Amino acid sequence: MEDPAAPGAGNPPTNGNGNGGGKGKPAAPKGREAFRSQRRESEGSVDCPTLEFEYGDADGHAAELSELYSYTENPEFTTNRRCFEEDFKTQVQGEEWLELEEDAQKAYVMGLLDRLEVVSRERRLKVARAVLYLAQGTFGECDSEVDVLHWSRYNCFLLYQMGTFSAFLELLHMEIDNSQACSSALRKPAISIADSTELRVLLSVLYLMVENIRLERETDSCGWRTARETFRTELSFSTHNQEPFALLLFSMVTKFCSGLAPHFPIKKVLLLLWKVVMFTLGGFEHLQALKVQKRAELGLPPLAEDSIQVVKSMRAASPPSYTLDLGESQLAPPPSKLRGRRGSRRQLLTKQDSLDIYNERDLFKTEEPATEEEEESASDGERTLDGELDLLEQDPLVPPPPSQAPLSAERVAFPKGLPWAPKVRDTDTLVGLPRPIHESVKTLKQHKYVSIADVQIKNEEELEKCPMSLGEEVVPETPCEILYQGMLYSLPQYMIALLKILLAAAPTSKAKTDSINILADVLPEEMPITVLQSMKLGIDVNRHKEIIVKSISALLLLLLKHFKLNHIYQFEYVSQHLVFANCIPLILKFFNQNILSYITAKNGISVLDYPCCTIQDLPELTTESLEAGDNNQFCWRNLFSCINLLRLLNKLTKWKHSRTMMLVVFKSAPILKRALKVKQAMLQLYVLKLLKIQTKYLGRQWRKSNMKTMSAIYQKVRHRMNDDWAYGNDIDARPWDFQAEECTLRANIEAFNSRRYDRPQDSEFSPVDNCLQSVLGQRLDLPEDFHYSYELWLEREVFSQPICWEELLQNH
């Protein structure tokens, strides 16, 4: 996708002095008025306002519920209401649901659950729809959206307390194993929303219960708080010889991607899986509390700050503006005239000084535009990305081997308050060094940061060296540990399946006949016949894909963060399989688009969103009703997805030189730089982090041409005191060194998994009884017919066999 600010769009590149790049003649100066008007036009079309976005675990409660439904499903709200009212009138005479006492409501729910246990599939679906109507808030008796959300939450707690979740979980197992529905969907040339009706009803009820009960409010009663903890435990641990609920959903994802169940409503499965993981393991605030607790248990110093809270206080920097560079080159006199003038040296020095002045409001104003070489690199990188991601479509579900605070613009001064506490990872011996170096290292040690991962790696090395003396490791049975144990042997398939769906939902992906169909729960039975219906379906499909990207990106990020805290090698195991499945080029391919357009996209019809569509009469389908969206300056879910994917890419590449080189090989620098046009501090921070780790591989010329980006990295990214990111030239990096790094890591992971999870119950390190009397005195279970043949066995195996005592002594 061509960048409008790139030289390929008709503008010549400029060098550091503001003149035209290359050996060509400098551009002729134009009038100042023409330049100013051109600048105003450019800024009006390109510049992005600062986005007031607050990052969190999820969007608002109403928004998260509305994304469960596609617009194609809207007629089913009426169907659910009709099924409930028909059943309710036969059980309760002359009253409405909201008028009943709580005991009467519980009695009616018990009757509904009894009526679920029928053989007739059609009757069972009607009862399930009646339960779904309750979970949706009995909107037919409500007057406002607030009332619908209130009663939806109330009814979900009531449904859970009466055992509805367990009943619907059994029905879900039945539908997953329904071979008739799978074979019917496989025979159809086109899958539609009708093929997933039963599954969508069941998953919708389960999602509404999880999302409503997960939400904590200060006004919740003690009974609700107790029910929430009970529900969290029920979802986290194996009950009644069944696996944790998240593993069932993971198996649905892999079954869908394998092509055995194309009718699965994958968006609902992914949303439910994400919310179950968030509910059982905890969100970002819970993660921070767990990290503080674990550091205290290991005797490590407390954390200096909470990363998310620090980022919230940071300000966004201005996006690049190419017109200013062009204007400066047009207004500046040619170099030949500067040579004969007395003030030329002073002007050149002033120009050079201006490169070093950091002004947060105009951070990227005078930054060099992308050169032709960078644009060619970007296009080469795009071709390479497509090739790598073709492998993701074709490979079997087996991982490949490892071989394969701002300053004033008036004065130049160092920032007084950087946002992050500096860190140091290692220090070496000081023997024979002079005293000033000792003082410097003392400063380094004051900021030395020891992570939980460092302690875990050291403990793992000791356990491998001394298994006998250290004995068995005591592993707490936390929800995260239970989930990892359940995922362990199928984890490569889970990761590849998630990335395949992410690739199919990415807006930059090209339509392929062999790619998976993720639109089974959005396409209507009858395709649209009018232009307006086609427009509505187009918006619905784009929205559907955006929600899938949002759920997968948030799910992967949560899994990585929790596994890293639980044990570093669990995190590395998941990370390595993501890298093997081409996650890095996939994320870069996602960002190789106009990110600003993606973030500001309005793929939504507010009047069709839940709960609004249940209260108001749906308007007639017109162009105005389709375009009447919200007035927000950006789409929350798309910005949330972009930040999640950048954080995911940072986690995969941090301190991994082999993966950093993948960023360089795939020409990620121009792709990431374009994302800096979005004026949002958190997104810019993670882009700058990704640029920082690869700057020393990009060469001196790149750093010289991107001084403003380098200044932004210095200002916003955490300082590593002994890091040579800003001046190192690691051009002699050998590819086999990086392969050895991945192989060593893989060996450590396999040793960890084997030691902790592959050992049988009768361990080789279990104590041995050497006492002859106790061994012979042990009671053994013998076959019932043994006493019939005992004398014969004794004669044949003992008395008739000669014993050569000399030979026995020689052998022993």
Side-chain angles (χ1 to χ4, degrees), residues 597-645:
S597 297
Y598 181 74
I599 287 173
T600 56
K602 297 293 175 64
N603 288 312
I605 307 171
S606 57
V607 293
L608 298 182
D609 286 333
Y610 172 88
C612 178
C613 63
T614 62
I615 297 297
Q616 302 177 5
D617 294 332
L618 296 182
E620 185 180 353
L621 199 64
T622 62
T623 307
E624 290 75 17
S625 64
L626 291 178
E627 294 177 352
D630 53 33
N631 295 322
N632 295 329
Q633 58 182 170
F634 60 92
C635 176
W636 196 97
R637 66 172 166 267
N638 289 355
L639 185 48
F640 178 72
S641 300
C642 290
I643 292 175
N644 288 340
L645 290 173

Side-chain angles (χ1 to χ4, degrees), residues 122 616 759:
E122 184 179 351
Q616 302 177 5
R759 184 175 301 168

